[in-house]
Amino acid sequence: MERLIAIAIMSAALASSAVADCGGETPCTLSAGSYHIARPDRDNGPIPAVMFLHGHGGSAVGVLNMREMVESFTARGYAVIAPNGARRPNGPRSWSFLPEFGGRDDFSFLPEVLNDAATRFDVDPERTVLAGFSSGAFMVNYLACKEPEAFAAYLPVSGGFWRPQPETCAGPVSLYQSYGWSDEVVPLEGRILGGGRFTQGDIWAGLELWRDTLGCDTHAPDRIWQDDTRQLRRWNCGEGHTLTFELFPGGHRVPSGWADRAITWIEAQIPATPDTE
């Protein structure tokens, strides 16, 4: 009997190690792609997480090399999940947020990554948000619009919708949009690409779509304020949903200190449960 118990314990340990046989520099592989994860130094219950999507031509490893951002999240108890965009034929990694792009179905792939991270690393799906930069931010907006309940909240940086933008979205979300005032790569007003084949959308029009989706009675913000060099607007529309717009000085980048501000906003929308404090 003791020998059988010992074998059972050993088998369970081996099974557990097989589940989490990746992380850090070792990618976790799914049938449709891969992701990397950086975990906080904690083991008390399900872990909240930020899934962060890289920009056009970026990679999951590149996201984990954004040390200030990643360390800010992990220091406050959040895992950082960094999926890899799929490679286009003869091109760089990116995200298929428009049907014209073809390739992998990222609307299915990203929830699959979340489910896998929940199984392998005890990530809490109810407290995982989707964030992204540039092309990753476009993907964040489109997934939030199409599948609003896929993640707990959405945080796009330097990206919105393309033209023609969706006429409606499936339901309200909590969304924190950050943008650089002098962004010339994805300007606030949008720009035309590919000889007229594609048009990056107007960020202000995208915010209008989100206000309509949230059921705002007026376009006027509930609050307008300045925090150091940043200008902010906030709309509280619909039960339990908030739209916040942050305009920061500078261009096409994730601004310094964004991660800490993002966590403060996240925790105002999704209060910590007792076993994750």
Side-chain angles (χ1 to χ4, degrees):
M1 178 63 71
E2 290 181 358
R3 182 172 178 272
L4 291 176
I5 293 174
I7 291 173
I9 292 173
M10 182 178 295
S11 298
L14 289 172
S16 176
S17 64
V19 168
D21 59 353
C22 57
E25 296 182 358
T26 303
C28 299
T29 302
L30 306 178
S31 60
S34 63
Y35 70 93
H36 288 251
I37 185 169
R39 289 176 287 173
D41 185 17
R42 50 164 288 181
D43 57 5
N44 57 324
I47 305 169
V50 176
M51 185 182 294
F52 193 93
L53 309 183
H54 60 74
H56 184 76
S59 68
V61 170
V63 169
L64 294 193
N65 284 336
M66 299 168 69
R67 296 296 176 83
E68 178 190 341
M69 182 187 78
V70 172
E71 290 175 2
S72 294
F73 282 129
T74 56
R76 292 180 64 172
Y78 286 74
V80 177
I81 304 169
N84 275 306
R87 289 194 181 278
R88 306 268 173 80
N90 302 317
R93 296 183 185 277
S94 197
W95 306 98
S96 295
F97 48 85
L98 293 179
E100 304 92 283
F101 293 165
R104 183 178 67 192
D105 180 0
D106 285 324
F107 293 94
S108 296
F109 172 65
L110 296 175
E112 288 173 6
V113 169
L114 177 55
N115 289 337
D116 190 78
T119 300
R120 293 184 195 254
F121 303 106
D122 201 19
V123 163
D124 186 353
E126 300 298 320
R127 300 189 64 234
T128 297
V129 303
L130 183 66
F133 170 68
S134 192
S135 176
F138 287 117
M139 186 70 223
V140 170
N141 272 280
Y142 278 93
L143 193 146
C145 185
K146 184 178 180 180
E147 304 287 347
E149 296 184 359
F151 291 83
Y154 299 88
L155 297 91
V157 182
S158 302
F161 293 105
W162 287 39
R163 295 289 193 183
Q165 74 177 24
E167 294 183 3
T168 60
C169 290
V173 297
S174 289
L175 186 138
Y176 186 111
Q177 171 86 64
S178 301
Y179 230 91
W181 171 253
S182 55
D183 193 329
E184 296 181 355
V185 178
V186 186
L188 283 158
E189 299 78 11
R191 65 175 178 141
I192 297 172
L193 300 171
R197 293 175 57 224
F198 302 106
T199 303
Q200 292 171 345
D202 188 308
I203 296 304
W204 309 108
L207 289 171
E208 182 178 12
L209 172 60
W210 282 122
R211 288 194 299 270
D212 290 343
T213 302
L214 268 64
C216 296
D217 293 329
T218 175
H219 291 301
D222 295 285
R223 185 186 176 198
I224 301 173
W225 74 103
Q226 181 169 334
D227 183 359
D228 192 21
T229 58
R230 296 176 301 112
Q231 308 286 337
L232 295 105
R233 283 169 140 71
R234 185 178 67 206
W235 295 263
N236 291 322
C237 308
E239 186 176 351
H241 297 102
T242 296
L243 172 63
T244 302
F245 181 58
E246 170 190 279
L247 193 61
F248 59 84
H252 195 64
R253 61 188 176 87
V254 178
S256 178
W258 172 82
D260 279 316
R261 296 194 298 273
I263 294 172
T264 299
W265 180 86
I266 290 167
E267 293 183 346
Q269 316 310 312
I270 316 166
T273 53
D275 62 343
T276 57
E277 291 180 339

